[in-house]
């Protein structure tokens, strides 16, 4: 579906639905309006709250306190490993690293004073999010949560490739997940003039006036090419090279540096 959306140039940006928060109540076209947002558009992920806790041997009450981002990656990561043929006994004790691109979420804010502190801590910690599948499937490789903002899942991919090339692991699950659950962050980004007043991303365009936030979850399984060919795996693509750096000084800490990124 994602590929079809790209191929047909489908615009999936919508108005923020009331099921998340009432964007109209927070809207004000004046970017200086205190406590308001001038952008009420976003790419929304459907059924973000859907989860089958018993499949993953998690008590429903515990799942309630789990960040939906943790739940989504647990499901999507399992689906990716299942597609690659590495679940059940085939995964047990496997030298598989988990590399998850993930920022801190707003979900834990509503449980700041919860008496169920143990579920709240484990259910809302990014390191635990990366470790969930390792725990469930008994994977023995490293489990890392990486937060470099917009580039998190790509940096996770780079680190996984390095570990595979260096012989540290034999398999890697790499992914990223992001949901926007509170108007607070949206309002803050409007205050910083980061979001688009027109509600559209116009990448590399003179008409660009900011970004529009989007939600999503994805996971891929990586393996050394020679090993995948030896094992007769279905190969969807090959990563030829990767690199990471920092932009250095720009005209603002959130602004890109074209020269650094080209290099």
């Amino acid at each position: 579906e994602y590929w079809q959306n790209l191929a047909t140039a489908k615009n999936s940006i919508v108005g923020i639905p009331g099921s998340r928060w009432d964007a109209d109540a927070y809207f004000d076209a004046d970017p200086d309006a205190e406590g308001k947002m001038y952008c009420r558009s976003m790419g929304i992920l459907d059924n973000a709250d859907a989860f089958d806790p018993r499949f993953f041997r998690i008590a429903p009450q515990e799942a309630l306190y789990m960040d939906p981002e943790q739940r989504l990656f647990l499901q999507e990561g399992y689906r990716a490993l299942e597609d690659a043929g590495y679940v059940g006994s085939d995964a047990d004790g496997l030298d598989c690293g988990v590399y998850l691109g993930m920022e801190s979420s707003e979900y834990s804010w509503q449980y700041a004073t919860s008496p169920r502190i143990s579920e709240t801590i484990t259910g809302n910690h990014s390191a635990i999010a990366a470790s969930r599948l390792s725990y469930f499937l008994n994977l023995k490789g490293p489990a890392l949560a990486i937060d470099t903002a917009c580039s998190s899942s790509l940096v996770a991919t780079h680190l996984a490739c390095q570990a595979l090339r260096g012989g540290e692991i034999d398999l890697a699950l790499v992914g990223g997940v992001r949901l926007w659950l509170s108007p607070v962050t949206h309002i803050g980004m409007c205050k910083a003039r980061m979001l688009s007043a027109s509600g559209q991303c116009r990448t590399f365009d003179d008409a660009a006036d900011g970004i529009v936030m989007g939600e999503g979850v994805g996971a891929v399984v990586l393996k050394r090419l020679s090993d995948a060919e030896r094992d007769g795996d279905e190969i969807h693509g090959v990563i030829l090279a990767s690199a990471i750096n920092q932009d250095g000084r720009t005209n603002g800490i959130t602004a890109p540096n074209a020269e650094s990124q080209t290099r």
Side-chain angles (χ1 to χ4, degrees):
E1 183 182 6
Y2 178 60
W3 170 247
Q4 286 301 318
N5 289 349
L6 292 176
T8 59
K10 179 181 177 181
N11 188 341
S12 299
I13 294 173
V14 298
I16 300 170
S19 58
R20 288 299 176 86
W21 65 81
D22 187 359
D24 290 338
Y26 292 101
F27 177 75
D28 195 309
D30 179 6
D32 294 318
E34 195 63 35
K36 300 289 185 178
M37 62 178 74
Y38 59 79
C39 175
R40 50 184 169 186
S41 299
M42 193 160 66
I44 297 285
L45 195 63
D46 294 331
N47 301 316
D49 58 342
F51 183 63
D52 182 2
R54 287 190 170 88
F55 177 84
F56 293 102
R57 302 192 190 105
I58 296 171
Q61 186 67 17
E62 181 184 351
L64 176 67
Y65 293 92
M66 282 177 64
D67 186 337
E69 291 185 346
Q70 279 203 29
R71 301 183 219 148
L72 284 173
F73 182 71
L74 189 54
Q75 293 177 132
E76 198 65 23
Y78 184 91
R79 189 176 290 119
L81 286 168
E82 183 179 47
D83 181 71
Y86 291 103
V87 291
S89 59
D90 292 314
D92 188 34
L94 197 64
D95 196 10
C96 175
V98 179
Y99 299 81
L100 170 60
M102 183 180 185
E103 294 187 80
S104 57
S105 166
E106 303 103 331
Y107 192 69
S108 62
W109 297 352
Q110 63 184 312
Y111 296 121
T113 58
S114 170
R116 302 181 69 94
I117 190 67
S118 59
E119 286 100 335
T120 304
I121 289 175
T122 57
N124 290 272
H125 199 294
S126 58
I128 297 295
S131 302
R132 288 273 184 190
L133 266 176
S134 300
Y135 176 76
F136 180 62
L137 294 173
N138 194 33
L139 306 177
K140 298 299 186 179
L144 305 178
I146 292 104
D147 181 3
T148 56
C150 306
S151 60
S152 297
S153 57
L154 290 176
V155 171
T157 303
H158 174 75
L159 296 178
C161 287
Q162 285 186 317
L164 284 165
R165 291 192 180 105
E168 182 182 345
I169 55 176
D170 294 323
L171 196 73
L173 175 70
V174 183
V177 60
R178 190 61 166 114
L179 296 173
W180 300 96
L181 303 174
S182 165
V184 175
T185 307
H186 221 70
I187 290 169
M189 287 188 288
C190 283
K191 191 76 172 175
R193 302 292 199 276
M194 293 170 63
L195 301 188
S196 165
S198 62
Q200 295 292 321
C201 290
R202 294 181 173 85
T203 310
F204 307 121
D205 193 315
D206 286 341
D209 64 345
I211 59 176
V212 178
M213 306 317 294
E215 299 183 327
V217 57
V220 294
V221 177
L222 303 182
K223 198 173 183 180
R224 287 181 290 272
L225 180 59
S226 57
D227 292 350
E229 291 174 332
R230 177 199 65 204
D231 296 338
D233 292 324
E234 182 175 6
I235 300 169
H236 296 288
V238 178
I239 296 175
L240 298 179
S242 65
I244 55 175
N245 70 348
Q246 229 290 330
D247 280 347
R249 184 176 296 129
T250 64
N251 63 353
I253 196 166
T254 62
N257 183 324
E259 181 182 335
S260 292
Q261 294 193 11
T262 301
R263 185 170 64 248

